[in-house]
């Protein structure tokens, strides 16, 4: 499953498994692991307090956790990047958006892994086409 097509619960499950954390270890504030199990199986909604506790357990800021989700800004930037690589269908507006996306990613001081990957992808592919996009340097 692509990490860019997950909802928040699927992202949490994916990351929990990647970090080899058991369900019963995820929500220490709950008496039983069934509460977490119901959240992960989407039988119960996740509340903000639980999201904070889960992001702490995963040792990941909420912003980075959300970057795995389908509705994140990162997903929109990725879609624009892919569209712009198909030069025969991309419009001038698509390329303008690509440059805006590059400027946005450039402005982020502490980039998530996904943001960093897209930032360098844009640089690698489009540096020779647009003077606004800087070359990759050491």
């Amino acid at each position: 499953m692509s990490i860019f097509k997950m909802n928040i619960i699927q992202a949490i499950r994916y990351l929990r498994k990647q970090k080899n954390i058991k369900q019963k270890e995820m929500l220490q504030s709950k008496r039983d692991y069934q509460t977490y199990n119901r959240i992960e199986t989407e039988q119960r909604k996740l509340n903000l307090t639980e999201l904070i506790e889960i992001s702490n357990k995963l040792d990941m800021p909420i912003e980075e956790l959300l970057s795995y989700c389908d509705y994140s800004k990162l997903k929109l930037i990725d879609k624009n990047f892919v569209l712009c690589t198909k030069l025969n269908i991309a419009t001038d507006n698509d390329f303008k958006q690509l440059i805006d996306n590059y400027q946005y990613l450039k402005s982020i001081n502490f980039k998530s892994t996904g943001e960093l990957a897209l930032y360098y992808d844009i640089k690698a592919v489009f540096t020779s086409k647009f003077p606004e996009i800087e070359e990759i340097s050491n």
Side-chain angles (χ1 to χ4, degrees):
M1 175 185 300
S2 167
I3 62 173
F4 288 116
K5 295 186 179 172
M6 296 182 188
N7 66 34
I8 186 70
I9 302 302
Q10 292 167 328
I12 289 169
R13 182 183 316 118
Y14 170 81
L15 293 165
R16 177 184 64 76
K17 288 180 179 182
Q18 289 296 309
K19 294 178 180 254
N20 294 314
I21 301 171
K22 294 179 170 58
Q23 282 187 350
K24 64 184 175 184
E25 299 170 344
M26 291 299 289
L27 287 176
Q28 297 297 317
S29 65
K30 304 299 180 188
R31 291 178 202 187
D32 62 0
Y33 82 95
Q34 292 298 329
T35 300
Y36 179 80
N37 179 269
R38 286 191 294 277
I39 292 169
E40 195 172 282
T41 57
E42 300 184 43
Q43 298 172 7
R44 179 183 178 281
K45 292 188 187 261
L46 175 67
N47 67 43
L48 183 58
T49 304
E50 293 162 341
L51 178 61
I52 292 168
E53 186 176 346
I54 288 168
S55 75
N56 289 335
K57 184 66 181 179
L58 293 171
D59 194 28
M60 180 177 290
I62 290 175
E63 297 82 11
E64 187 170 350
L65 180 59
L66 292 174
S67 74
Y68 284 85
C69 300
D70 189 39
Y71 50 82
S72 72
K73 182 171 179 74
L74 192 64
K75 176 63 176 175
L76 299 174
I77 294 171
D78 184 56
K79 282 183 180 180
N80 173 252
F81 170 74
V82 170
L83 177 65
C84 288
T85 60
K86 300 174 191 248
L87 299 175
N88 58 334
I89 62 169
T91 67
D92 288 344
N93 283 337
D94 295 324
F95 290 120
K96 181 183 178 313
Q97 184 64 54
L98 177 81
I99 293 167
D100 289 346
N101 290 338
Y102 168 77
Q103 295 297 340
Y104 164 75
L105 290 169
K106 182 180 176 183
S107 73
I108 300 171
N109 289 329
F110 301 103
K111 295 171 184 58
S112 69
T113 305
E115 290 163 342
L116 192 61
L118 264 173
Y119 176 68
Y120 281 106
D121 284 347
I122 292 170
K123 287 177 88 155
V125 175
F126 292 103
T127 193
S128 63
K129 184 168 174 69
F130 301 107
E132 301 91 339
I133 299 176
E134 301 163 351
E135 291 183 18
I136 297 174
S137 61
N138 293 337

